[in-house]
Amino acid sequence: MRAHPRVTGISHMEAAAMPGYGVLPSIRVRDLSAALEFYTQRLGFEIVRGGPGDDNVSIRRGDASLMLETVADFYSPGYNAAIRSRLEGNSATTLYIEAEDLDALHEAAVAARVAIPDPLAQREWGQREFTVEDPEGNWLTFWKGLA
């Protein structure tokens, strides 16, 4: 079993290596156009696949990839209904995204008037971070280690 990277000094990418597996978080939104504007224009993500006319778009900023997805009938009827019902409230889930350019990203988010429910701060666990809220109420915490 590997120790946490902060303990061993290995990078997060080495610690997270799981050959054959990848993670692509999907953020479900009611308004894909507003979500694309927020993520690309305010946070600096780039579109990798799809676009404003699609129901499903992949975006990336550095090594962080996300999928933005509207409510559509992609899945089974029960799962589609569950997705629709969950869009009625905000989630307490936060996506943590490592950001090498944390200070520049924070300055850009402030300048773009992005909602920042948790301001840039140093944490006792050895990193600096801040949290933004997208137009749908989803949280993304951008962080950088102090070492």
Coordinates of all heavy atoms in Angstrom, one line a residue, residues 20-101:
G20 N -5.1 1.6 -16.7 CA -6.3 1.1 -17.2 C -7.6 1.8 -16.6 O -8.7 1.5 -17.0
Y21 N -7.4 2.8 -15.7 CA -8.5 3.5 -15.1 C -8.3 5.0 -15.3 O -7.2 5.5 -15.4 CB -8.6 3.3 -13.6 CG -9.1 1.9 -13.2 CD1 -8.2 0.9 -13.2 CD2 -10.4 1.7 -13.0 CE1 -8.6 -0.4 -12.9 CE2 -10.8 0.4 -12.6 CZ -10.0 -0.6 -12.6 OH -10.4 -1.9 -12.3
G22 N -9.4 5.7 -15.5 CA -9.3 7.2 -15.6 C -10.6 7.7 -15.0 O -11.6 7.0 -14.9
V23 N -10.6 8.9 -14.6 CA -11.7 9.6 -14.0 C -12.1 10.8 -14.8 O -11.2 11.7 -15.0 CB -11.5 10.0 -12.5 CG1 -12.7 10.7 -11.9 CG2 -11.2 8.7 -11.7
L24 N -13.3 11.0 -15.2 CA -13.8 12.1 -15.9 C -15.1 12.6 -15.2 O -16.2 12.1 -15.5 CB -14.0 11.9 -17.4 CG -14.5 13.0 -18.2 CD1 -13.6 14.2 -18.1 CD2 -14.8 12.6 -19.6
P25 N -15.0 13.4 -14.2 CA -16.3 13.9 -13.5 C -17.2 14.5 -14.5 O -16.8 15.3 -15.3 CB -15.8 14.9 -12.5 CG -14.3 14.6 -12.3 CD -13.9 14.1 -13.6
S26 N -18.5 14.2 -14.3 CA -19.6 14.8 -15.1 C -20.4 15.8 -14.2 O -20.8 15.4 -13.2 CB -20.5 13.7 -15.6 OG -21.6 14.3 -16.4
I27 N -20.5 17.0 -14.7 CA -21.2 18.0 -14.0 C -22.5 18.2 -14.8 O -22.5 18.6 -16.0 CB -20.5 19.3 -13.9 CG1 -19.2 19.1 -13.0 CG2 -21.4 20.4 -13.3 CD1 -18.3 20.3 -12.9
R28 N -23.6 17.9 -14.3 CA -24.9 18.0 -15.0 C -25.5 19.4 -14.8 O -25.4 19.9 -13.6 CB -25.9 17.0 -14.4 CG -25.3 15.6 -14.5 CD -25.8 14.6 -15.3 NE -25.3 13.4 -15.7 CZ -25.0 12.3 -14.9 NH1 -25.1 12.4 -13.6 NH2 -24.6 11.2 -15.4
V29 N -25.9 20.0 -15.9 CA -26.4 21.4 -15.8 C -27.7 21.5 -16.5 O -28.0 20.7 -17.4 CB -25.3 22.3 -16.5 CG1 -24.0 22.3 -15.7 CG2 -25.1 22.0 -17.9
R30 N -28.4 22.5 -16.2 CA -29.7 22.9 -16.9 C -29.4 23.7 -18.1 O -30.1 23.6 -19.1 CB -30.6 23.6 -15.9 CG -31.2 22.7 -14.8 CD -32.0 23.5 -13.8 NE -31.2 24.3 -12.9 CZ -30.8 23.9 -11.7 NH1 -31.2 22.7 -11.2 NH2 -30.1 24.7 -11.0
D31 N -28.4 24.6 -18.1 CA -28.1 25.5 -19.1 C -26.7 25.3 -19.6 O -25.8 25.9 -19.0 CB -28.4 26.9 -18.7 CG -28.2 28.0 -19.7 OD1 -27.6 27.7 -20.8 OD2 -28.7 29.1 -19.5
L32 N -26.5 24.5 -20.7 CA -25.1 24.2 -21.1 C -24.4 25.5 -21.7 O -23.2 25.6 -21.5 CB -25.2 23.1 -22.2 CG -23.8 22.6 -22.6 CD1 -23.0 22.1 -21.5 CD2 -23.9 21.6 -23.7
S33 N -25.2 26.4 -22.3 CA -24.5 27.6 -22.8 C -23.9 28.4 -21.7 O -22.8 28.9 -21.8 CB -25.5 28.4 -23.6 OG -25.9 27.8 -24.8
A34 N -24.7 28.6 -20.6 CA -24.2 29.4 -19.5 C -23.0 28.6 -18.8 O -22.0 29.3 -18.4 CB -25.3 29.6 -18.4
A35 N -23.1 27.3 -18.7 CA -22.0 26.5 -18.1 C -20.7 26.7 -19.0 O -19.6 26.9 -18.5 CB -22.4 25.1 -18.0
L36 N -20.8 26.6 -20.3 CA -19.7 26.7 -21.2 C -19.1 28.1 -21.1 O -17.8 28.2 -21.0 CB -20.1 26.4 -22.6 CG -20.1 24.9 -23.0 CD1 -20.7 24.8 -24.4 CD2 -18.8 24.3 -22.8
E37 N -19.9 29.1 -21.0 CA -19.4 30.5 -20.9 C -18.6 30.6 -19.5 O -17.5 31.1 -19.5 CB -20.5 31.5 -20.9 CG -20.1 33.0 -20.9 CD -19.7 33.5 -19.5 OE1 -20.3 33.0 -18.5 OE2 -18.9 34.4 -19.4
F38 N -19.2 30.1 -18.5 CA -18.5 30.1 -17.2 C -17.2 29.4 -17.2 O -16.1 30.0 -16.8 CB -19.4 29.5 -16.1 CG -18.8 29.5 -14.7 CD1 -18.8 30.6 -13.9 CD2 -18.2 28.3 -14.2 CE1 -18.2 30.6 -12.7 CE2 -17.6 28.3 -13.0 CZ -17.7 29.4 -12.2
Y39 N -17.2 28.2 -17.6 CA -15.9 27.4 -17.5 C -14.9 27.8 -18.5 O -13.7 27.8 -18.2 CB -16.3 25.9 -17.7 CG -16.9 25.3 -16.5 CD1 -18.3 25.2 -16.3 CD2 -16.1 24.8 -15.4 CE1 -18.8 24.7 -15.1 CE2 -16.6 24.3 -14.3 CZ -18.0 24.2 -14.1 OH -18.6 23.7 -13.0
T40 N -15.3 28.2 -19.7 CA -14.3 28.6 -20.7 C -13.8 30.1 -20.6 O -12.7 30.4 -20.6 CB -14.7 28.4 -22.2 OG1 -15.9 29.1 -22.4 CG2 -15.0 26.9 -22.4
Q41 N -14.8 31.0 -20.4 CA -14.5 32.4 -20.4 C -14.0 32.9 -19.0 O -13.2 33.8 -18.9 CB -15.7 33.2 -20.8 CG -16.1 32.9 -22.2 CD -15.0 33.1 -23.3 OE1 -14.4 34.1 -23.3 NE2 -14.8 32.1 -24.1
R42 N -14.5 32.3 -17.9 CA -14.2 32.8 -16.6 C -13.1 32.0 -15.9 O -12.4 32.5 -15.1 CB -15.4 32.8 -15.7 CG -16.4 33.8 -16.2 CD -17.6 33.9 -15.3 NE -18.6 34.8 -15.8 CZ -19.5 35.4 -15.0 NH1 -19.6 35.0 -13.8 NH2 -20.4 36.2 -15.5
L43 N -13.1 30.7 -16.2 CA -12.1 29.8 -15.5 C -11.0 29.3 -16.4 O -10.1 28.7 -16.0 CB -12.8 28.6 -14.8 CG -13.7 29.0 -13.7 CD1 -14.3 27.7 -13.1 CD2 -13.0 29.8 -12.6
G44 N -11.1 29.6 -17.7 CA -10.0 29.3 -18.6 C -9.9 27.8 -19.1 O -8.9 27.4 -19.6
F45 N -11.0 27.1 -19.0 CA -11.0 25.7 -19.5 C -11.1 25.8 -21.1 O -11.6 26.8 -21.6 CB -12.2 24.9 -19.0 CG -12.1 24.4 -17.6 CD1 -12.2 25.2 -16.5 CD2 -11.8 23.0 -17.4 CE1 -12.0 24.6 -15.2 CE2 -11.6 22.5 -16.2 CZ -11.7 23.3 -15.1
E46 N -10.7 24.8 -21.8 CA -10.9 24.7 -23.2 C -11.8 23.6 -23.6 O -11.8 22.6 -22.9 CB -9.5 24.5 -23.9 CG -8.8 23.2 -23.6 CD -7.5 23.0 -24.3 OE1 -7.4 23.3 -25.5 OE2 -6.6 22.6 -23.6
I47 N -12.5 23.7 -24.7 CA -13.4 22.6 -25.1 C -12.5 21.6 -25.9 O -11.8 21.9 -26.7 CB -14.5 23.2 -26.1 CG1 -15.4 24.1 -25.3 CG2 -15.3 22.0 -26.7 CD1 -16.4 24.8 -26.1
V48 N -12.7 20.3 -25.5 CA -12.0 19.2 -26.1 C -12.8 18.5 -27.1 O -12.4 18.1 -28.1 CB -11.5 18.3 -25.0 CG1 -10.8 17.1 -25.6 CG2 -10.5 19.0 -24.0
R49 N -14.1 18.3 -26.7 CA -15.0 17.6 -27.6 C -16.4 18.2 -27.4 O -16.8 18.5 -26.3 CB -15.1 16.1 -27.2 CG -16.0 15.3 -28.1 CD -16.2 13.9 -27.6 NE -16.6 13.8 -26.2 CZ -17.8 14.1 -25.7 NH1 -18.7 14.5 -26.5 NH2 -18.0 14.0 -24.4
G50 N -17.1 18.3 -28.5 CA -18.5 18.8 -28.5 C -18.5 20.3 -28.5 O -17.4 21.0 -28.8
G51 N -19.6 20.9 -28.3 CA -19.7 22.4 -28.3 C -21.1 22.8 -27.9 O -21.9 22.0 -27.4
P52 N -21.4 24.1 -28.1 CA -22.6 24.7 -27.6 C -23.9 24.0 -28.0 O -24.9 24.0 -27.3 CB -22.6 26.2 -28.1 CG -21.1 26.4 -28.2 CD -20.5 25.1 -28.7
G53 N -23.9 23.4 -29.2 CA -25.1 22.8 -29.7 C -25.3 21.3 -29.2 O -26.3 20.7 -29.6
D54 N -24.3 20.8 -28.5 CA -24.4 19.4 -28.0 C -25.0 19.3 -26.6 O -25.0 20.3 -25.9 CB -23.0 18.8 -28.1 CG -22.4 18.7 -29.5 OD1 -23.2 18.3 -30.4 OD2 -21.3 19.1 -29.7
D55 N -25.4 18.1 -26.3 CA -25.9 17.8 -24.9 C -24.8 17.4 -23.9 O -25.0 17.3 -22.7 CB -26.9 16.7 -24.9 CG -28.2 17.1 -25.7 OD1 -28.6 18.3 -25.6 OD2 -28.8 16.2 -26.3
N56 N -23.6 17.2 -24.5 CA -22.5 16.7 -23.7 C -21.2 17.2 -24.3 O -20.9 17.1 -25.4 CB -22.5 15.1 -23.9 CG -21.5 14.4 -23.2 OD1 -20.3 14.6 -23.4 ND2 -21.9 13.5 -22.3
V57 N -20.4 17.9 -23.4 CA -19.2 18.6 -23.8 C -18.0 18.2 -22.9 O -18.2 18.3 -21.6 CB -19.4 20.1 -23.9 CG1 -18.1 20.8 -24.3 CG2 -20.5 20.5 -24.8
S58 N -16.9 17.9 -23.4 CA -15.7 17.6 -22.6 C -14.8 18.9 -22.6 O -14.6 19.5 -23.6 CB -14.9 16.5 -23.1 OG -15.6 15.3 -22.9
I59 N -14.3 19.3 -21.4 CA -13.5 20.5 -21.3 C -12.2 20.1 -20.5 O -12.2 19.1 -19.8 CB -14.2 21.6 -20.6 CG1 -14.7 21.2 -19.2 CG2 -15.4 22.1 -21.5 CD1 -15.4 22.4 -18.4
R60 N -11.2 20.9 -20.6 CA -9.9 20.7 -19.9 C -9.3 22.0 -19.5 O -9.3 22.9 -20.3 CB -9.0 19.8 -20.8 CG -7.7 19.6 -20.2 CD -6.8 18.7 -21.1 NE -6.7 19.2 -22.4 CZ -6.8 18.5 -23.5 NH1 -7.1 17.2 -23.4 NH2 -6.7 19.0 -24.7
R61 N -8.6 21.9 -18.4 CA -7.7 23.0 -18.0 C -6.5 22.3 -17.4 O -6.5 21.7 -16.4 CB -8.3 23.9 -16.9 CG -7.4 25.0 -16.5 CD -8.0 25.9 -15.4 NE -7.0 26.8 -14.8 CZ -6.7 28.0 -15.3 NH1 -7.3 28.5 -16.3 NH2 -5.7 28.7 -14.7
G62 N -5.3 22.4 -18.1 CA -4.2 21.7 -17.7 C -4.4 20.2 -17.8 O -4.9 19.6 -18.8
D63 N -4.2 19.5 -16.7 CA -4.4 18.0 -16.6 C -5.8 17.7 -16.1 O -6.2 16.5 -16.0 CB -3.4 17.4 -15.6 CG -2.0 17.4 -16.2 OD1 -1.9 17.4 -17.4 OD2 -1.1 17.3 -15.4
A64 N -6.6 18.7 -15.8 CA -8.0 18.5 -15.2 C -9.0 18.4 -16.3 O -9.1 19.4 -17.1 CB -8.3 19.6 -14.2
S65 N -9.7 17.3 -16.4 CA -10.8 17.2 -17.4 C -12.1 17.0 -16.7 O -12.2 16.4 -15.7 CB -10.5 16.0 -18.3 OG -9.3 16.1 -19.1
L66 N -13.1 17.7 -17.3 CA -14.5 17.6 -16.8 C -15.4 17.4 -18.0 O -15.1 17.7 -19.2 CB -14.9 18.9 -16.2 CG -14.1 19.4 -15.0 CD1 -14.6 20.7 -14.5 CD2 -14.3 18.4 -13.8
M67 N -16.6 16.8 -17.7 CA -17.6 16.7 -18.7 C -18.8 17.5 -18.3 O -19.2 17.4 -17.1 CB -18.1 15.3 -18.9 CG -19.1 15.1 -20.0 SD -19.4 13.3 -20.4 CE -19.7 12.6 -18.8
L68 N -19.3 18.4 -19.1 CA -20.6 19.1 -18.8 C -21.7 18.4 -19.6 O -21.5 18.2 -20.8 CB -20.4 20.6 -19.3 CG -19.3 21.4 -18.6 CD1 -19.2 22.8 -19.2 CD2 -19.5 21.4 -17.1
E69 N -22.8 18.2 -19.0 CA -23.8 17.4 -19.6 C -25.2 18.0 -19.2 O -25.5 18.2 -18.0 CB -23.7 16.0 -19.1 CG -24.6 15.0 -19.7 CD -24.3 13.6 -19.1 OE1 -24.6 13.3 -18.0 OE2 -23.6 12.8 -19.9
T70 N -26.0 18.2 -20.2 CA -27.4 18.6 -20.0 C -28.3 17.4 -19.6 O -27.9 16.2 -19.9 CB -28.0 19.3 -21.2 OG1 -28.1 18.4 -22.3 CG2 -27.3 20.6 -21.5
V71 N -29.4 17.6 -19.1 CA -30.3 16.5 -18.8 C -30.9 16.1 -20.2 O -31.6 16.9 -20.9 CB -31.5 17.0 -17.9 CG1 -32.5 15.8 -17.7 CG2 -30.9 17.4 -16.5
A72 N -30.6 14.9 -20.6 CA -31.1 14.3 -21.8 C -31.4 12.8 -21.5 O -31.2 12.3 -20.4 CB -30.1 14.4 -22.9
D73 N -32.0 12.2 -22.4 CA -32.4 10.8 -22.2 C -31.2 9.8 -22.7 O -31.4 9.0 -23.6 CB -33.7 10.5 -22.9 CG -34.8 11.2 -22.2 OD1 -34.8 11.2 -21.0 OD2 -35.7 11.7 -22.9
F74 N -30.0 10.0 -22.1 CA -28.9 9.2 -22.5 C -29.0 7.8 -21.9 O -28.4 6.9 -22.4 CB -27.6 9.8 -22.0 CG -27.2 11.1 -22.6 CD1 -26.8 12.2 -21.9 CD2 -27.2 11.2 -24.0 CE1 -26.4 13.4 -22.5 CE2 -26.8 12.4 -24.6 CZ -26.4 13.5 -23.8
Y75 N -29.6 7.7 -20.7 CA -29.5 6.5 -19.9 C -30.8 5.8 -19.7 O -31.8 6.1 -20.4 CB -28.9 6.9 -18.5 CG -27.7 7.7 -18.6 CD1 -27.7 9.1 -18.4 CD2 -26.5 7.2 -19.0 CE1 -26.5 9.9 -18.5 CE2 -25.3 7.9 -19.2 CZ -25.3 9.3 -18.9 OH -24.2 10.0 -19.1
S76 N -30.9 4.9 -18.7 CA -32.2 4.2 -18.5 C -33.2 5.2 -18.0 O -32.9 6.3 -17.4 CB -32.0 3.1 -17.5 OG -31.7 3.7 -16.2
P77 N -34.5 4.9 -18.1 CA -35.5 5.9 -17.7 C -35.4 6.2 -16.2 O -35.6 7.3 -15.8 CB -36.9 5.1 -18.0 CG -36.5 4.3 -19.1 CD -35.1 3.8 -18.9
G78 N -35.1 5.2 -15.3 CA -35.0 5.5 -13.9 C -33.8 6.4 -13.6 O -33.9 7.3 -12.7
Y79 N -32.7 6.1 -14.2 CA -31.5 7.0 -14.0 C -31.7 8.4 -14.5 O -31.4 9.4 -13.9 CB -30.3 6.3 -14.6 CG -29.0 7.0 -14.3 CD1 -28.7 7.3 -12.9 CD2 -28.0 7.2 -15.2 CE1 -27.4 7.9 -12.6 CE2 -26.7 7.7 -14.9 CZ -26.5 8.1 -13.6 OH -25.3 8.6 -13.2
N80 N -32.4 8.5 -15.7 CA -32.7 9.8 -16.2 C -33.6 10.6 -15.3 O -33.3 11.8 -15.0 CB -33.3 9.7 -17.6 CG -32.4 9.3 -18.7 OD1 -31.2 9.6 -18.6 ND2 -32.9 8.6 -19.7
A81 N -34.6 10.0 -14.7 CA -35.5 10.6 -13.7 C -34.7 11.0 -12.5 O -34.9 12.1 -11.9 CB -36.6 9.7 -13.4
A82 N -33.8 10.2 -12.0 CA -33.0 10.5 -10.8 C -32.1 11.7 -11.1 O -31.9 12.5 -10.2 CB -32.2 9.3 -10.4
I83 N -31.5 11.8 -12.2 CA -30.7 12.9 -12.6 C -31.5 14.2 -12.5 O -31.1 15.2 -12.0 CB -30.0 12.7 -14.0 CG1 -29.0 11.6 -13.9 CG2 -29.4 14.0 -14.5 CD1 -28.5 11.2 -15.3
R84 N -32.7 14.2 -13.2 CA -33.5 15.3 -13.2 C -33.9 15.8 -11.8 O -33.9 17.0 -11.4 CB -34.8 15.1 -14.0 CG -34.6 15.1 -15.5 CD -35.8 14.8 -16.3 NE -35.6 14.9 -17.7 CZ -35.1 13.9 -18.4 NH1 -34.9 12.7 -17.9 NH2 -34.9 14.0 -19.7
S85 N -34.2 14.8 -10.9 CA -34.6 15.2 -9.5 C -33.5 15.8 -8.7 O -33.7 16.7 -7.9 CB -35.2 14.0 -8.8 OG -34.2 13.0 -8.5
R86 N -32.2 15.3 -9.0 CA -31.1 15.9 -8.3 C -30.7 17.3 -8.7 O -30.1 18.0 -8.0 CB -29.9 14.9 -8.4 CG -30.0 13.7 -7.6 CD -28.8 12.8 -7.7 NE -29.0 11.7 -6.9 CZ -28.0 11.1 -6.2 NH1 -26.8 11.6 -6.3 NH2 -28.2 10.0 -5.5
L87 N -31.1 17.7 -9.9 CA -30.9 19.0 -10.4 C -31.7 20.0 -9.6 O -31.5 21.2 -9.8 CB -31.1 19.1 -11.9 CG -29.9 18.6 -12.7 CD1 -30.3 18.7 -14.2 CD2 -28.7 19.4 -12.5
E88 N -32.7 19.6 -8.9 CA -33.6 20.5 -8.2 C -32.9 21.1 -6.9 O -33.5 22.1 -6.4 CB -34.9 19.8 -7.8 CG -35.7 19.3 -9.0 CD -36.0 20.4 -10.0 OE1 -36.4 21.5 -9.6 OE2 -35.8 20.1 -11.2
G89 N -31.8 20.6 -6.5 CA -31.1 21.1 -5.3 C -29.6 21.2 -5.5 O -29.1 20.6 -6.4
N90 N -28.9 21.9 -4.7 CA -27.5 22.0 -4.8 C -26.8 20.8 -4.1 O -27.3 20.3 -3.1 CB -27.0 23.3 -4.2 CG -27.4 24.5 -5.0 OD1 -27.7 24.4 -6.2 ND2 -27.4 25.7 -4.4
S91 N -25.7 20.4 -4.6 CA -24.9 19.3 -4.0 C -23.9 19.9 -3.1 O -23.3 21.0 -3.3 CB -24.3 18.5 -5.1 OG -23.3 17.6 -4.6
A92 N -23.5 19.1 -2.1 CA -22.4 19.5 -1.2 C -21.1 19.0 -1.7 O -20.1 19.2 -1.1 CB -22.7 19.0 0.2
T93 N -21.1 18.3 -2.8 CA -19.9 17.7 -3.4 C -19.0 18.8 -4.0 O -19.5 19.7 -4.6 CB -20.3 16.7 -4.5 OG1 -21.1 15.7 -4.0 CG2 -19.0 16.1 -5.2
T94 N -17.7 18.7 -3.8 CA -16.8 19.6 -4.3 C -15.7 18.8 -5.1 O -15.3 17.8 -4.7 CB -16.0 20.4 -3.2 OG1 -17.0 21.1 -2.5 CG2 -15.0 21.3 -3.8
L95 N -15.4 19.3 -6.3 CA -14.3 18.7 -7.1 C -13.0 19.5 -6.8 O -13.0 20.7 -6.9 CB -14.6 18.8 -8.6 CG -15.9 18.2 -9.1 CD1 -16.1 18.4 -10.6 CD2 -15.9 16.7 -8.8
Y96 N -12.0 18.8 -6.3 CA -10.7 19.4 -6.0 C -9.8 19.3 -7.3 O -9.6 18.2 -7.8 CB -10.0 18.7 -4.9 CG -10.4 19.3 -3.5 CD1 -11.6 19.2 -3.0 CD2 -9.4 20.0 -2.8 CE1 -11.9 19.7 -1.8 CE2 -9.7 20.6 -1.6 CZ -11.0 20.5 -1.1 OH -11.3 21.1 0.1
I97 N -9.4 20.4 -7.7 CA -8.5 20.5 -8.9 C -7.2 21.2 -8.6 O -7.2 22.3 -8.2 CB -9.3 21.3 -10.1 CG1 -10.6 20.6 -10.4 CG2 -8.4 21.4 -11.3 CD1 -11.5 21.3 -11.4
E98 N -6.1 20.4 -8.8 CA -4.8 21.0 -8.5 C -4.5 22.1 -9.6 O -4.7 21.8 -10.8 CB -3.7 19.9 -8.5 CG -2.4 20.4 -8.1 CD -1.4 19.3 -7.9 OE1 -1.7 18.2 -8.4 OE2 -0.3 19.6 -7.3
A99 N -4.0 23.2 -9.2 CA -3.8 24.3 -10.1 C -2.4 24.9 -9.9 O -2.1 25.5 -8.8 CB -4.8 25.4 -9.9
E100 N -1.5 24.7 -10.8 CA -0.1 25.2 -10.7 C -0.1 26.7 -10.7 O 0.7 27.3 -10.1 CB 0.7 24.7 -11.9 CG 1.1 23.2 -11.9 CD 1.9 22.8 -13.0 OE1 2.4 23.7 -13.8 OE2 2.2 21.6 -13.1
D101 N -1.1 27.3 -11.4 CA -1.2 28.8 -11.5 C -2.3 29.3 -10.6 O -3.1 30.2 -10.9 CB -1.5 29.2 -12.9 CG -2.8 28.6 -13.5 OD1 -3.3 27.7 -12.9 OD2 -3.3 29.1 -14.5

